Amino acid sequence: PTHRLSAETVKLVTKKQIALRYSVATRTVDSWMSEHIIPYVKPSARCVRFDTTACDAALARFERVIKKT
């Protein structure tokens, strides 16, 4: 069966909201998009949206643990 995602199951946010979430500039989000680091959806030519859960998972791959000496 085909599963459709409803608005309640996926939280889509804007580029500005993603930048605020990770405390980076929107230009950094642009770089992450072009480097295919974070997933995004383009419902139209000028509209970009991000699934916060998918972005969290994608960025977790780059997380480093720093040990204190």
Side-chain angles (χ1 to χ4, degrees):
T2 302
H3 298 285
R4 302 196 86 196
L5 297 175
S6 67
E8 296 84 38
T9 60
V10 177
K11 172 72 172 160
L12 296 178
V13 298
T14 65
K15 186 188 302 183
K16 187 173 182 177
Q17 290 170 313
I18 280 291
L20 288 171
R21 180 181 183 90
Y22 300 115
S23 302
V24 298
T26 55
R27 187 66 190 105
T28 300
V29 177
D30 288 333
S31 294
W32 290 347
M33 289 169 58
S34 67
E35 296 169 18
H36 303 287
I37 292 173
I38 58 172
Y40 60 93
V41 178
K42 284 190 82 166
S44 67
R46 296 181 64 181
C47 181
V48 179
R49 294 293 181 261
F50 302 87
D51 174 356
T52 56
T53 304
C55 289
D56 288 345
L59 289 173
R61 295 179 300 175
F62 296 93
E63 190 173 347
R64 291 192 293 175
V65 177
I66 299 173
K67 295 180 182 179
K68 288 191 174 185
T69 56

